[in-house]
Amino acid sequence: MTYIVASLVERSVSGVSGSSLRAFRQGADLVEVRLDHLALPKVDERSLSKVREAVAGPAIATLRSSREGGRSRLRGPARERALRAVLAAGFEYVDLETDLDRRAMGLAARRARGPLVIASHHFARPQSEKEVEGALAKACAAGDFGKVAMPCGHAGHAIMLASLGLRRSSAGDKFTLIGMGDQGQLTRVCARQMGSSMVYCSAGDRAAAPGQLDLASQAALGREDRFVLGLVGHPVAHSVSKPMQEAALRAAGLTGVYLNLDVPPEALTREALETLGRLGFSGLNVTVPHKERVRALCDELDPEAQSTGAVNTVVFRAWKMNGKNTDVIGFTKAVEQKMKVTKDTSALLVGAGGAARAAAIGLRRAGAHVTVAARDRAKGERLAGEFILDAVTLDSLRRSDRRFDLIVNCTPVGTKGVGGVAPIPARLFRKGVLYLDMVYNPPVTKAMKAAASRKARAENGLEMLVQQGAASFTWWTRADPDVGAMRAAARGALG
């Protein structure tokens, strides 16, 4: 069983009383009283007993030291005296730090009756799996429960923690593993699946640690029918897929969460994806630079993933990873809203990656004449040869008099956090030309401004994102998405 623990970061005893009452009403199994946040005249048995009496249910007492991210500056004999008082105050659990509180742990072990000990260690920065496993083994040996927390610089760190948790759970250990920060949230979302004995959440607006979910959200994720979805990419900070897909879940009456998982290339392995499947993820979106890599890691591929050579959607079913590509349908529907593509349409694709392949398939099916231009000439020629396209160099376009009805930027150039300007000669932007930039954040790229200044119609890639996301949603949930709700959420996230 995984206990839901609401962390109380109140300054007063009355605040603890009110917050604990609300927390238990909202579904908390335990509350954690952060004694280091309380303004107490003395940290003695009398004061702490009053705190315990104010709590409306079972409680953990935590006097987190500043050394491990808390506010308590008590050291040496002063901290030992305070912890003796904590042990005698009637709390059901006490959190003791493995490096600082060894004497208090010894005292707790000798008491005939007293609180259960959560032996904890908080790293100040990300650590290797070996270091984390060593700290967890030490904590499990020292207390009734072992607890290790670590900040996660990227989702690869959180996936490592989850994988370790799955192994320790199968060995029967009682532990809690926490990844702190936004990129560590999957250890909270999937705490039960990874085997953590406790998952900590905020009781109100104030979180006790970075990345904590609010109590209502954490409790809802305990349902068996909840959906856990995510985006795997590097970077992902620019993405609006989270609010868009969570809006789709709400509109469909489904409980779930969508996580932005920033996974650097070196952390994207078959084992990492399998771990997400074991944690109960229903599916993933995949974005740059991982679409081709994920394709190679999947067990099965749909025809679109095979033809594009890229996977942007993963569905976990029956212990298998099914790779799909919804970019083709997303691109096709986005273009159809802006122009009618026929055999007389002349289109230019800038780029030769997975996005360009999806656009090429959609345009060729409509009968358009397609030309590809890429910085990597060899890659562009390979794409052209495979789909019977024309291939040109970007330099040649600067000297050419060719005209195009549709120009598509299929590269991430111009994306927030990436920057730059799509390398399209300004002379190609003419009145009546449709310029579609697959970039959607920012909503107006520098290339779009250049196109508009020359009377071309400029559109970003938001509609393509919405349409491919809607197709992904159906694969994951087998429900029809509210595309309007998804579009509104995505636009709202962009401001």
Side-chain angles (χ1 to χ4, degrees):
M1 179 177 178
T2 299
Y3 292 113
I4 297 176
V5 182
S7 296
L8 310 184
V9 286
E10 301 291 344
R11 294 289 292 163
S12 66
V13 176
S14 61
V16 168
S17 176
S19 290
S20 68
L21 187 61
R22 287 190 295 273
F24 286 116
R25 285 175 177 170
Q26 292 173 18
D29 298 304
L30 304 169
V31 296
E32 178 193 37
V33 181
R34 286 293 298 267
L35 300 174
D36 53 305
H37 282 255
L38 273 173
L40 295 174
K42 276 187 175 183
V43 186
D44 59 13
E45 186 175 341
R46 182 178 178 183
S47 296
L48 293 173
S49 293
K50 290 183 178 179
V51 175
R52 178 63 194 91
E53 290 170 4
V55 179
I60 303 168
T62 299
L63 187 64
R64 181 72 62 233
S65 72
S66 58
R67 174 175 164 177
E68 295 212 359
R71 295 188 175 185
S72 175
R73 298 188 178 278
L74 294 176
R75 293 288 187 271
R79 182 172 175 87
E80 289 180 20
R81 287 194 296 272
L83 291 176
R84 284 176 181 270
V86 172
L87 291 172
F91 289 92
E92 286 79 6
Y93 301 82
V94 61
D95 185 306
L96 300 175
E97 298 170 14
T98 57
D99 290 345
L100 199 60
D101 301 331
R102 280 172 286 186
R103 289 190 179 183
M105 288 182 187
L107 177 61
R110 292 193 297 271
R111 291 174 66 94
R113 296 180 62 186
L116 297 174
V117 171
I118 301 168
S120 67
H121 181 82
H122 292 68
F123 288 108
R125 59 185 61 87
Q127 300 291 319
S128 68
E129 184 173 0
K130 182 178 179 182
E131 288 292 329
V132 176
E133 189 161 20
L136 184 60
K138 179 180 177 181
C140 287
D144 299 288
F145 300 87
K147 174 186 171 189
V148 172
M150 182 189 88
C152 294
H154 55 71
H157 294 139
I159 294 171
M160 176 270 286
L161 293 176
S163 179
L164 174 57
L166 289 167
R167 293 202 307 274
R168 300 296 301 205
S169 177
S170 64
D173 292 334
K174 293 182 178 180
F175 68 89
T176 297
L177 272 171
I178 300 171
M180 292 188 289
D182 289 345
Q183 289 300 310
Q185 274 195 342
L186 78 86
T187 64
R188 302 180 189 276
V189 169
C190 302
R192 177 171 58 86
Q193 288 74 20
M194 63 186 275
S196 283
S197 297
M198 299 174 185
V199 58
Y200 292 72
C201 56
S202 64
D205 296 333
R206 291 176 294 167
Q212 277 188 348
L213 301 176
D214 64 88
L215 175 54
S217 297
Q218 191 70 65
L221 289 171
R223 292 174 48 169
E224 291 292 338
D225 61 350
R226 93 298 184 246
F227 286 90
V228 179
L229 309 167
L231 171 69
V232 172
H234 183 67
V236 294
H238 67 281
S239 174
V240 298
S241 289
K242 177 179 173 65
M244 183 180 77
Q245 295 290 1
E246 290 185 345
L249 287 168
R250 289 192 298 272
L254 302 174
T255 298
V257 65
Y258 188 100
L259 299 174
N260 285 335
L261 305 174
D262 190 334
V263 182
E266 65 273 14
L268 184 68
T269 62
R270 167 83 186 193
E271 180 184 0
L273 293 177
E274 287 178 337
T275 296
L276 295 178
R278 293 177 65 193
L279 292 174
F281 274 71
S282 297
L284 301 167
N285 280 134
V286 184
T287 189
V288 292
H290 297 320
K291 292 184 179 183
E292 294 180 7
R293 172 64 175 157
V294 170
R295 178 185 183 275
L297 297 175
C298 286
D299 298 302
E300 298 176 355
L301 298 172
D302 74 357
E304 302 287 44
Q306 291 176 340
S307 58
T308 59
V311 161
N312 81 323
T313 301
V314 173
V315 180
F316 293 103
R317 288 217 177 106
W319 303 105
K320 286 187 176 182
M321 290 186 290
N322 300 313
K324 302 181 182 298
N325 190 297
T326 63
D327 280 337
V328 177
I329 190 171
F331 173 81
T332 301
K333 287 188 174 183
V335 171
E336 284 176 347
Q337 294 181 21
K338 304 301 177 183
M339 68 181 295
K340 181 174 178 58
V341 178
T342 69
K343 61 182 179 59
D344 296 321
T345 301
S346 178
L348 171 67
L349 305 181
V350 179
R357 295 171 71 87
I361 291 171
L363 291 170
R364 290 293 289 150
R365 285 177 181 171
H369 180 83
V370 183
T371 300
V372 60
R375 289 185 184 275
D376 187 332
R377 182 173 180 175
K379 194 172 182 180
E381 289 177 348
R382 284 197 300 272
L383 176 61
E386 186 173 347
F387 292 103
I388 316 176
L389 316 176
D390 287 342
V392 298
T393 64
L394 289 166
D395 285 339
S396 71
L397 288 174
R398 294 184 175 91
R399 302 185 299 271
S400 173
D401 290 329
R402 293 186 62 177
R403 293 175 176 266
F404 297 96
D405 304 303
L406 171 64
I407 301 172
V408 187
N409 173 36
C410 304
T411 77
V413 177
T415 301
K416 184 178 180 180
V418 175
V421 183
I424 301 166
R427 65 187 301 171
L428 298 180
F429 295 132
R430 296 182 171 92
K431 185 176 181 179
V433 171
L434 173 61
Y435 173 59
L436 176 60
D437 199 324
M438 287 191 179
V439 173
Y440 62 85
N441 191 1
V444 180
T445 65
K446 291 179 180 179
M448 288 174 63
K449 291 178 181 178
S453 71
R454 297 177 69 90
K455 309 301 182 184
R457 293 184 294 151
E459 299 287 344
N460 64 28
L462 185 64
E463 189 61 26
M464 178 178 172
L465 175 78
V466 170
Q467 295 295 341
Q468 65 83 18
S472 297
F473 183 87
T474 299
W475 280 114
W476 298 325
T477 66
R478 295 173 176 166
D480 292 328
D482 184 330
V483 177
M486 297 177 75
R487 186 181 296 113
R491 285 177 177 165
L494 290 171

